[in-house]
Amino acid sequence: QVQLVESGGGLVQPGGSLSLSCATSGSIFRADALGWYRQAPGKERELVALITKGGNTNYAHSVEGRFTISKDNAKSTVYLQMSNLKPDDTGVYYCNAEYCSDYGCSLGSWGQGTQVTVSS
């Protein structure tokens, strides 16, 4: 069974840093891309950062320059290093895998996520 286990969330003051981890099963790690998403209270889930199988990265404009996505193939783990955190970064953070074919791309099942709260 495919599994995603997010960890590393917590309460941090504005300007602080957090590092999130997402342990995945091997089958997920062979997906076309792995991404971190977040859902703020009362808002829809949004893509925060994406890393492709080849290592290319993309970021939401709101986190560019502050967040870094990376992966460790040997550990089948994807990371999100977050710095200079702002209250608007508050939300539940999820990782997921993207699978693409000639017909388009789709996401796998969601994990339970990890809560990030940025507050003084």
Side-chain angles (χ1 to χ4, degrees), residues 12-76:
V12 63
Q13 292 187 342
S17 300
L18 275 178
S19 182
L20 306 183
S21 298
C22 175
T24 77
S25 66
S27 59
I28 281 185
F29 216 75
R30 288 190 289 269
D32 294 285
L34 293 164
W36 280 98
Y37 300 76
R38 71 184 177 196
Q39 187 165 21
K43 295 186 177 181
E44 292 189 354
R45 196 173 300 181
E46 62 173 346
L47 176 65
V48 173
L50 192 76
I51 185 166
T52 68
K53 187 185 299 183
N56 294 319
T57 57
N58 284 299
Y59 298 93
H61 181 69
S62 61
V63 308
E64 230 166 2
R66 300 187 298 120
F67 289 13
T68 302
I69 188 171
S70 62
K71 61 178 179 173
D72 186 329
N73 289 335
K75 296 181 179 179
S76 295

Side-chain angles (χ1 to χ4, degrees), residues 101-120:
S101 70
D102 291 342
Y103 305 99
C105 298
S106 61
L107 296 175
S109 300
W110 295 98
Q112 293 189 335
T114 185
Q115 175 71 46
V116 171
T117 303
V118 184
S119 175
S120 54

